Amino acid sequence: MPNERKLYKYATYLSNCSREAIDYGKCVGKKAGKVTHLACQREFTSLLNCVKKQVKRYKRAKRIISIYRLNFSLEPPYKVLLDGTFAVAALQNKINLREQMPKYLNAEVDIRVTNCVLKELEKLGSTLYGALHICKQFDVESCPHQPIRTAVECIKHMARRMKHKITCFFATQDNELTEALKQIPGIPILFIKYNSILIDRPSQATIQEIEKPKDQLLEVNELKKAVFGEDEKPRRKRKGPKGPNPLSVKKKKKKVQLTGIHQELGPNAEIAASKKRRRRRKQEKGSRYKPLLL
């Protein structure tokens, strides 16, 4: 049902505004006995603003994902390849990736990490133990790197392999890696900001790749005009109004002209005249077949 879907959406919006909702609930609970006009207005406005932001956030994500789906054949269930920086940001902002990622992308999500990312986090030691623990929860994406490369080089290589067919999102907080991924057309990038997951807008390389077929068509049309010249469009002949279909038109009935006597006598005279005609016809037929008397 459409109403149930709307309620489910607002439930997801409110789940991201839990702090504001708790503050508003506490305020209402305190003033439940003596409710006044504009009570808890500050808490309510903060909750309302948070919900509005979440609505914009989800609509923006839906719009951007539709670009990748239409132009680069990116279909759910989505695969998300993340690095250590994204895991650190999720830990700092207390974001449950298994729970929040499917809600934000509005589809089933398979979160993965590469072996190079895990090895790099292990080398960095206990300072990134939390990020390593988060990454170990997800499946490992096979990468062909022997010996092990850095996480940035590994993910760059994985993105270049997907140049012709985009199969996953890339989640990172590394600016260097983000700039490198933006050079590859059709790569969707996720990052964390304002305590929430966001999708980056399509890069310039992606926009150029989308517009390329249109430019190629224009070039082909210009070449055709240059070689063959401009073809004059044939003028359409104006067709006049056609008569009705003769088969669908009823034939006109012949009007019987009445004599002066018939007009005076009216319809009874017509009946009498028709009876006389019938009698004459019978008499004529009978006279034809009478035997000849010798």
Side-chain angles (χ1 to χ4, degrees):
M1 297 294 288
N3 293 329
E4 289 179 4
R5 288 176 191 167
K6 286 182 181 179
L7 289 170
Y8 177 73
K9 284 181 181 178
Y10 278 104
T12 55
Y13 302 152
L14 284 168
S15 66
N16 295 317
C17 300
S18 57
R19 187 175 59 188
E20 289 82 359
I22 289 165
D23 293 340
Y24 179 64
K26 285 179 180 178
C27 180
V28 171
K30 287 178 184 178
K31 298 180 181 180
K34 44 180 181 179
V35 178
T36 58
H37 181 59
L38 301 177
C40 305
Q41 185 182 9
R42 183 171 60 83
E43 289 81 1
F44 178 73
T45 51
S46 64
L47 177 61
L48 187 63
N49 291 332
C50 179
V51 170
K52 285 180 179 178
K53 284 179 184 177
Q54 295 301 321
V55 171
K56 287 181 181 178
R57 175 171 160 258
Y58 279 91
K59 282 184 177 179
R60 178 179 176 274
K62 188 178 179 182
R63 186 175 65 251
I64 293 171
I65 290 167
S66 66
I67 293 170
Y68 291 105
R69 289 188 67 178
L70 291 170
N71 296 287
F72 298 99
S73 303
L74 185 67
E75 292 295 332
Y78 301 126
K79 190 192 292 183
V80 179
L81 197 65
L82 57 87
D83 66 348
T85 59
F86 192 84
V88 170
L91 186 65
Q92 289 173 352
N93 292 279
K94 298 178 182 178
I95 295 171
N96 188 346
L97 295 177
R98 283 191 186 277
E99 184 183 337
Q100 294 297 324
M101 196 74 79
K103 285 182 181 179
Y104 183 63
L105 299 179
N106 196 23
E108 292 182 10
V109 174
D110 182 16
I111 303 172
R112 298 197 172 200
V113 292
T114 62
N115 195 28
C116 296
V117 172
L118 292 173
K119 293 294 182 184
E120 187 180 65
L121 289 172
E122 287 174 0
K123 284 180 183 178
L124 291 170
S126 60
T127 53
L128 296 175
Y129 177 76
L132 178 62
H133 181 69
I134 289 170
C135 290
K136 281 185 176 179
Q137 295 176 6
F138 308 122
D139 295 333
V140 178
E141 180 74 12
S142 61
C143 61
H145 302 138
Q146 291 294 336
I148 300 298
R149 295 185 184 181
T150 62
V152 173
E153 290 177 357
C154 175
I155 292 172
K156 278 183 190 176
H157 182 252
M158 297 293 284
R160 287 193 207 98
R161 288 172 66 187
M162 298 176 190
K163 187 175 180 180
H164 298 291
K165 188 178 180 182
I166 307 303
T167 56
C168 71
F169 290 80
F170 290 85
T172 182
Q173 297 291 110
D174 193 337
N175 293 327
E176 181 190 347
L177 180 57
T178 302
E179 290 299 322
L181 291 173
K182 283 183 177 180
Q183 302 303 318
I184 303 168
I187 297 293
I189 303 168
L190 298 170
F191 62 95
I192 292 173
K193 197 174 183 180
Y194 308 117
N195 297 328
S196 56
I197 301 166
L198 296 171
I199 186 168
D200 203 351
R201 66 183 67 182
S203 63
Q204 194 63 33
T206 301
I207 293 166
Q208 288 175 0
E209 187 70 20
I210 293 166
E211 292 176 351
K212 195 180 284 184
K214 297 177 183 177
D215 297 338
Q216 288 176 354
L217 281 172
L218 289 170
E219 287 176 5
V220 169
N221 290 330
E222 286 175 1
L223 283 170
K224 280 184 178 179
K225 287 179 183 178
V227 175
F228 301 107
E230 292 185 1
D231 295 332
E232 292 184 359
K233 292 181 179 179
R235 293 181 181 178
R236 292 182 180 179
K237 293 180 180 179
R238 290 187 179 180
K239 295 180 180 180
K242 293 182 178 179
N245 187 357
L247 298 173
S248 64
V249 178
K250 288 184 178 181
K251 292 181 180 179
K252 292 182 180 180
K253 293 181 179 180
K254 293 180 180 180
K255 292 182 180 180
V256 180
Q257 292 182 356
L258 300 174
T259 58
I261 299 165
H262 292 160
Q263 287 176 359
E264 289 175 4
L265 296 173
N268 294 327
E270 291 181 15
I271 295 165
S274 63
K275 285 180 179 179
K276 283 182 180 180
R277 286 191 214 104
R278 286 173 194 164
R279 285 174 197 158
R280 285 176 191 169
R281 286 171 191 165
K282 285 180 181 179
Q283 288 174 2
E284 287 174 0
K285 285 180 182 178
S287 62
R288 285 177 192 172
Y289 298 105
K290 279 182 180 180
L292 294 171
L293 296 172
L294 297 172

